[in-house]
Amino acid sequence: GFVRQEYPYARLNQGQGQFEPPQPPKSVYLAPSPNSMGVLLLPSERRGRNKAVTANPVLRSLNVVYAPPEGSDDGGSGSDAGSLEPQLVDPSSVPISFITQDYLEREIKMTATPQST
């Protein structure tokens, strides 16, 4: 998993130049190994109450397409339009649905316009 690592710099001056800022105060850099990409965790601003997360109005839902393991019965999940109803909701209230790869391919074939040659 991710463990605390030294904050990486691209230049040899270790964040002392004008083009590469030093590590922000009270932040933590986590990465799976010293030579791989990681994430920088910044402390939240504590000004009374936490702000509510507002959903992006452009994103109507997140549809996760998956390929069920061979020989398994996916129980009809993702095989019909009824399973496109949101099954989960993320913390920002964006609905999440799971559909099989076969269902997506059928939908693409049905909705694709015929190409004229």
Side-chain angles (χ1 to χ4, degrees), residues 103-115:
Y103 178 78
L104 177 65
E105 289 172 357
R106 285 194 308 268
E107 282 292 310
I108 290 172
K109 286 178 184 175
M110 285 180 16
T111 59
T113 56
Q115 303 253 343

Side-chain angles (χ1 to χ4, degrees), residues 55-112:
N56 184 346
V58 176
L59 185 64
R60 183 176 47 176
S61 70
L62 175 66
N63 297 329
V64 179
V65 179
Y66 69 97
E70 288 186 31
S72 71
D73 179 26
D74 66 354
S77 174
S79 60
D80 60 359
S83 64
L84 290 178
E85 292 299 317
Q87 298 172 355
L88 298 171
V89 177
D90 78 352
S92 61
S93 300
V94 175
I96 302 172
S97 299
F98 297 90
I99 60 172
T100 62
Q101 184 176 3
D102 294 336
Y103 178 78
L104 177 65
E105 289 172 357
R106 285 194 308 268
E107 282 292 310
I108 290 172
K109 286 178 184 175
M110 285 180 16
T111 59

Side-chain angles (χ1 to χ4, degrees), residues 5-71:
Q5 300 287 343
E6 182 179 336
Y7 185 69
Y9 293 101
R11 295 176 175 84
L12 296 176
N13 61 4
Q14 299 296 310
Q16 300 305 314
Q18 62 183 358
F19 298 110
E20 190 171 34
Q23 181 173 355
K26 298 183 182 178
S27 66
V28 177
Y29 181 76
L30 302 174
S33 69
N35 61 351
S36 63
M37 182 67 80
V39 293
L40 180 64
L41 302 178
L42 300 172
S44 63
E45 295 179 12
R46 299 280 181 180
R47 294 184 184 168
R49 299 179 69 181
N50 291 339
K51 292 182 180 178
V53 177
T54 56
N56 184 346
V58 176
L59 185 64
R60 183 176 47 176
S61 70
L62 175 66
N63 297 329
V64 179
V65 179
Y66 69 97
E70 288 186 31

